[in-house]
Amino acid sequence: MKTLIIAEKPSAAEAIAEALTEPFVKKRNYLESKDYYISWAIGHLVQLAEPEDYRSSLKRWRFEDLPLLPEFQLRPVAKTEAQLKAIAALAKKSKSLINACDAAREGELIFRYIVALLGLNHLPTWRLWTASLTPEAIREAMREMKPITMYDNLFASARCRSEGDWLIGINATRAFTTRFGELLSLGRVQTPVLAMICANRRLRDDFVRQNYWEVWANFQGEGCNYRGRWFQGEETRFEKREQAQSIAQEVQNRPGTVETLEQKESRELPPKLYDLTTLQRDCNRLFGFAASKTLKIAQELYDRKFITYPRTNSRYVDTHGIGLIRAVARRLGSHPVYGEWVQKGNPQLVQERNRNLCRPEAVEEHHAILPTTFVPDRLTGDAIKVYDRIVRRLLAHYFLPARFKETRVITRIEDHLFRTDEKVILDPGWKVVDGGWKPPEEKLLLPQQPGVPVYCVHSEATEKQTEPPKPYTEGSLLGAMETAGKKLDDEELREVLKDAGLGTPATRASIIERLKDVGYIELEGKHIEPTTKGMALIELVERANIPVLLSAEMTGRWEKYLNEIARGNGQSQEFNRKVVDLTVHVIRQLAQADKTWYNKSACAKSLGVCPRCGGQIVENRKAYACSNWKNLNCPITIWKTFRGKKISEKTAIALLQKGKSPRLRFYSKEKKPYPAIITFDRETGQMDLQFESSSKASSPKNGSTQTSRPRSQKKPPAPAS
């Protein structure tokens, strides 16, 4: 009998087959050799059962059925059930298993759920744990495999996360939806993130700009020409224009003296290596990439063996990582772009005693993202941008810290003091590789010693305004999620709080995308803004007096406890008890809520103007319908599912504006695809199918041009009340 290896995706399975020394034959759902079967999971093949799986009556959402607190069961994911059956068949012919899913919490859950549902716990099982898909890394991981039981704590953490998200997500979503008559999605992590975005919007809406004035003076003297700002202690501003103008007039054309001149040298270390969050933040800042896009590109680079595992929260390497960095640098030495920096760099800086680079205690599941010894030669477009960021961040550590000269000059004119600060780069160090450094432009001509007489040749009172908080970008939101909303500039403090963030590096991008998909946030340029519906949901939670659902700090503490469970320092039962208590609390609080708290009409998303009556076409759970359907009996309705096809917002807009959709793909009862266009009567609301003559053979009725009336459907739920 053979050993069955289960990877997380086909590309990982092929990489494992390449690393093993025996030839493999590729079958439909697996690879086979003399000693091994290698199959794959395609993400999750098994999930927690849905409420209706426990009791069929729960398919209908009713507040009276809540809270749902089941003894959890598993079920196959319908769309990938064939792959699960293939794994089950291979397992029957296998003597042992190897878990080769991604080396992280979610990868552990994917494998364990498969084993549990298929009843494979009796088979001896080992864990293949690797941060890279290169043959060398996989072979080393095969030699160092450990029994699966060594990872039971990691699975316990993953299971707590999965079941906790189910309890809060299912119960809170059903409770709010049934209580207020509108589909309202909530989640253990997504709702606190939305609350942060809404709090930021409220701060900006409530912000009142205040005018203030500063006094600036230009000084000239022997060999010097510079500018300074008035100060007194920590104060540099005036609330009244007259005060600032008075001081500006007092010092105008008056002699002064350089009272003090302080100089010091400072250093700036190379930035730490990338974890996923900092890579996403930089790519958003530099290239405007969404967090999900950066993750997708990084995952593709990993699958192609060009970088190490991207879903990491560490920015350091261990001693093994130092060896990998050196090997990568040797391979990059002849690269047409990076070879120059390898030659100029100092290899002695990359060593175990460099605490800015190597901290074994800060590496748990995976080290920082690194390029591998597989150097690509044909990357293009956005992929090369992400890869270039990772390589330059690595090569920066082969260079010395950047050195600066900081100068502070205090100039006195009678009783008034002016401060001038200048920071000049002495040696760019690592910035030539990763800092976007350019030779400095002409700087101020500062005095070289105290006591130098100067003359105020010009002074002015400058009017300024206080600035509101900046709206979140995806990059800044990722940073806020990492620290559970705490504003931290200090990198060391950020590292300390990483365990208590909102979500994980692997899930944060999907949380942001989820908030977009359910209509709670939208992008305005690079800025994230809450929608009316998103703001309304947060107000509902506040009125229901359930602040814990909005608390970033509380959710961060839960995330920290999940990490403690993974380390063996926390108890699953304690986490589960807290989740159940919160679930019950949510239902109790909502039992007292008033349906009128939620204004559907104000929160409905509009797709445009009704072509028949001029009302608004708004979205509800089942359709895009005219807001005047009730009071004017307007028939304009576009169902979200038509002839088995989901109608996207983009398609609905095309139907409203043009009366027809783009060419779409439908499927017959025999599951054969055929192209067709949906036509829409903008007076009656009638939807039909039109088959093109060019698609005779594939048309379900083999006709050149036909229309098909949909089966009678009920009027959609009211979009507004």
Side-chain angles (χ1 to χ4, degrees):
M1 298 181 79
K2 303 179 183 182
T3 295
L4 171 60
I5 302 174
I6 301 177
E8 192 160 321
K9 51 184 75 70
S11 59
E14 291 173 358
I16 294 168
E18 182 184 342
L20 298 175
T21 55
E22 48 195 272
F24 278 81
V25 176
K26 189 170 184 178
K27 304 294 180 70
R28 181 178 180 182
N29 301 99
Y30 62 97
L31 305 170
E32 183 179 2
S33 73
K34 176 173 170 282
D35 298 313
Y36 296 101
Y37 299 115
I38 306 178
S39 193
W40 46 86
I42 324 176
H44 280 277
L45 298 183
V46 178
Q47 65 183 28
L48 292 175
E50 297 293 341
E52 55 267 30
D53 295 324
Y54 298 101
R55 195 168 74 243
S56 60
S57 61
L58 292 177
K59 188 169 186 178
R60 182 184 177 191
W61 292 23
R62 300 193 319 151
F63 189 85
E64 294 74 19
D65 293 327
L66 305 176
L68 303 176
L69 305 171
E71 292 292 329
F72 283 105
Q73 300 173 13
L74 300 173
R75 62 176 281 185
V77 175
K79 66 180 181 180
T80 54
E81 193 166 2
Q83 185 64 24
L84 182 66
K85 289 179 179 178
I87 291 176
L90 293 172
K92 290 179 181 178
K93 302 183 287 183
S94 302
K95 63 181 180 181
S96 60
L97 303 175
I98 294 176
N99 175 10
C101 292
D102 284 356
R105 188 168 75 186
E106 205 63 19
E108 195 66 25
L109 187 71
I110 288 171
F111 178 83
R112 297 293 188 109
Y113 273 2
I114 292 171
V115 167
L117 185 64
L118 298 183
L120 305 179
N121 288 304
H122 63 286
L123 291 176
T125 307
W126 300 83
R127 186 45 154 127
L128 187 151
W129 190 275
T130 179
S132 172
L133 293 180
T134 62
E136 297 84 357
I138 292 172
R139 284 193 284 267
E140 182 177 352
M142 291 286 286
R143 290 192 295 269
E144 296 179 355
M145 286 192 302
K146 298 176 183 177
I148 195 71
T149 52
M150 298 288 288
Y151 298 87
D152 283 350
N153 289 330
L154 183 64
F155 169 55
S157 172
R159 184 174 178 180
C160 284
R161 195 279 310 157
S162 176
E163 294 177 358
D165 285 355
W166 191 100
L167 285 173
I168 293 176
I170 293 288
N171 281 285
T173 297
R174 287 194 171 206
F176 275 81
T177 298
T178 54
R179 206 66 183 150
F180 299 109
E182 175 83 355
L183 180 58
L184 297 170
S185 172
L186 291 90
R188 181 180 65 87
V189 179
Q190 78 175 46
T191 306
V193 174
L194 176 61
M196 285 167 44
I197 297 169
C198 292
N200 172 270
R201 176 59 180 267
R202 286 173 176 173
L203 285 174
R204 290 184 284 120
D205 287 346
D206 296 340
F207 187 84
V208 178
R209 291 179 181 269
Q210 300 289 335
N211 292 335
Y212 67 92
W213 287 263
E214 295 178 341
V215 178
W216 288 84
N218 289 72
F219 302 103
Q220 289 183 0
E222 187 177 349
C224 59
N225 186 347
Y226 61 101
R227 194 166 185 248
R229 181 174 61 173
W230 177 93
F231 76 100
Q232 187 176 65
E234 297 298 319
E235 188 58 61
T236 61
R237 299 179 178 183
F238 296 94
E239 294 182 1
K240 296 181 179 180
R241 183 196 305 268
E242 295 76 17
Q243 293 173 314
Q245 288 178 336
S246 175
I247 291 177
Q249 291 170 3
E250 286 181 34
V251 301
Q252 177 77 30
N253 299 324
R254 300 295 297 274
T257 306
V258 176
E259 186 160 283
T260 62
L261 186 148
E262 298 176 357
Q263 290 185 329
K264 65 178 181 179
E265 188 173 309
S266 62
R267 301 190 315 155
E268 185 181 337
L269 293 171
K272 295 178 178 65
L273 298 170
Y274 280 124
D275 62 4
L276 178 58
T277 300
T278 50
L279 178 64
Q280 289 170 317
R281 292 179 66 189
D282 270 9
C283 288
N284 178 258
R285 176 177 59 85
L286 296 170
F287 315 126
F289 291 175
S292 56
K293 178 175 181 175
T294 300
L295 175 57
K296 182 176 183 291
I297 293 171
Q299 185 66 43
E300 290 171 353
L301 291 172
Y302 170 71
D303 291 340
R304 296 171 68 182
K305 309 174 192 174
F306 297 145
I307 65 171
T308 59
Y309 188 67
R311 299 167 189 255
T312 176
N313 69 343
S314 178
R315 300 187 67 185
Y316 299 97
V317 297
D318 50 19
T319 53
H320 174 270
I322 292 292
L324 175 58
I325 290 174
R326 290 170 176 164
V328 170
R330 286 194 293 270
R331 291 298 300 271
L332 292 172
S334 57
H335 192 277
V337 175
Y338 307 122
E340 174 188 358
W341 308 120
V342 174
Q343 303 305 321
K344 291 181 178 179
N346 182 355
Q348 294 183 356
L349 297 174
V350 178
Q351 39 99 355
E352 289 82 353
R353 293 192 301 276
N354 183 345
R355 296 286 290 171
N356 191 42
L357 178 66
C358 182
R359 292 193 187 183
E361 72 278 8
V363 179
E364 292 190 24
E365 294 180 358
H366 296 285
H367 55 61
I369 303 173
L370 299 173
T372 69
T373 53
F374 278 59
V375 179
D377 56 4
R378 291 186 180 178
L379 283 182
T380 57
D382 295 335
I384 192 64
K385 292 178 181 178
V386 176
Y387 182 76
D388 181 70
R389 283 279 83 232
I390 296 168
V391 173
R392 287 181 181 274
R393 183 55 52 93
L394 168 66
L395 294 180
H397 288 267
Y398 276 82
F399 288 78
L400 290 168
R403 291 171 47 238
F404 301 89
K405 182 177 75 173
E406 297 182 31
T407 303
R408 169 165 289 182
V409 176
I410 306 297
T411 306
R412 176 182 288 276
I413 295 183
E414 296 181 350
D415 294 332
H416 301 297
L417 298 176
F418 292 81
R419 182 165 56 219
T420 305
D421 291 312
E422 183 184 57
K423 186 175 182 179
V424 178
I425 195 163
L426 299 175
D427 181 357
W430 62 270
K431 285 181 175 287
V432 297
V433 181
D434 190 34
W437 179 79
K438 296 179 181 178
E441 299 175 359
E442 186 177 350
K443 298 295 180 180
L444 299 172
L445 290 174
L446 296 179
Q448 298 303 306
Q449 61 185 22
V452 174
V454 294
Y455 189 76
C456 177
V457 296
H458 177 71
S459 61
E460 61 181 343
T462 304
E463 183 178 3
K464 295 188 176 182
Q465 282 188 327
T466 53
E467 293 293 329
K470 293 181 179 179
Y472 282 118
T473 63
E474 287 205 23
S476 61
L477 181 60
L478 287 168
M481 292 171 70
E482 189 177 41
T483 59
K486 294 181 176 66
K487 294 182 179 180
L488 298 174
D489 295 323
D490 186 281
E491 287 294 329
E492 295 297 326
L493 285 176
R494 294 189 77 89
E495 288 294 319
V496 170
L497 287 176
K498 267 189 173 182
D499 273 357
L502 296 179
T504 67
T507 61
R508 286 175 190 139
S510 63
I511 291 166
I512 296 173
E513 291 303 310
R514 172 66 178 167
L515 290 173
K516 294 177 188 175
D517 292 342
V518 296
Y520 291 159
I521 64 173
E522 58 191 5
L523 287 179
E524 294 184 6
K526 279 190 174 184
H527 296 152
I528 297 174
E529 295 290 356
T531 62
T532 305
K533 185 176 182 180
M535 293 288 286
L537 174 63
I538 298 305
E539 290 170 6
L540 285 178
V541 178
E542 291 170 341
R543 291 192 70 175
N545 195 24
I546 318 175
V548 69
L549 271 183
L550 308 178
S551 173
E553 184 178 357
M554 176 63 73
T555 306
R557 275 198 231 123
W558 285 16
E559 195 64 46
K560 183 176 179 64
Y561 198 76
L562 286 172
N563 287 318
E564 290 300 311
I565 293 172
R567 298 181 184 116
N569 300 326
Q571 297 296 320
S572 302
Q573 297 88 339
E574 177 68 12
F575 181 87
N576 294 336
R577 182 186 63 78
K578 290 180 178 179
V579 172
V580 169
D581 288 348
L582 174 58
T583 302
V584 172
H585 175 66
V586 169
I587 305 306
R588 284 176 179 167
Q589 291 299 110
L590 277 180
Q592 307 169 43
D594 190 328
K595 186 176 181 179
T596 60
W597 290 356
Y598 185 76
N599 187 338
K600 279 189 188 179
S601 177
C603 298
K605 182 176 181 180
S606 174
L607 270 67
V609 177
C610 175
R612 177 186 170 100
C613 71
Q616 290 294 310
I617 301 296
V618 294
E619 179 182 4
N620 60 52
R621 191 169 59 176
K622 294 183 178 180
Y624 307 98
C626 179
S627 58
N628 290 327
W629 77 274
K630 191 173 184 179
N631 55 345
L632 296 181
N633 200 28
C634 181
I636 298 301
T637 298
I638 298 173
W639 296 93
K640 286 188 175 179
T641 302
F642 178 73
R643 284 299 186 95
K645 181 75 174 177
K646 288 186 177 180
I647 305 302
S648 68
E649 181 179 313
K650 185 177 180 180
T651 300
I653 291 173
L655 291 172
L656 288 168
Q657 294 178 348
K658 302 176 182 178
K660 64 179 182 179
S661 73
R663 188 181 186 191
L664 302 173
R665 175 178 290 186
F666 290 81
Y667 289 88
S668 66
K669 290 182 179 179
E670 294 77 26
K671 296 185 178 181
K672 294 182 178 180
Y674 62 91
I677 290 172
I678 301 174
T679 61
F680 180 69
D681 190 318
R682 292 183 288 177
E683 285 296 317
T684 66
Q686 182 70 47
M687 295 173 67
D688 291 319
L689 276 188
Q690 178 178 305
F691 307 114
E692 298 177 336
S693 57
S694 60
S695 58
K696 259 187 203 181
S698 59
S699 171
K701 294 185 180 180
N702 199 31
S704 58
T705 303
Q706 305 176 32
T707 60
S708 173
R709 292 186 178 274
R711 291 187 295 273
S712 174
Q713 301 192 55
K714 295 180 180 179
K715 203 64 186 168
S721 60

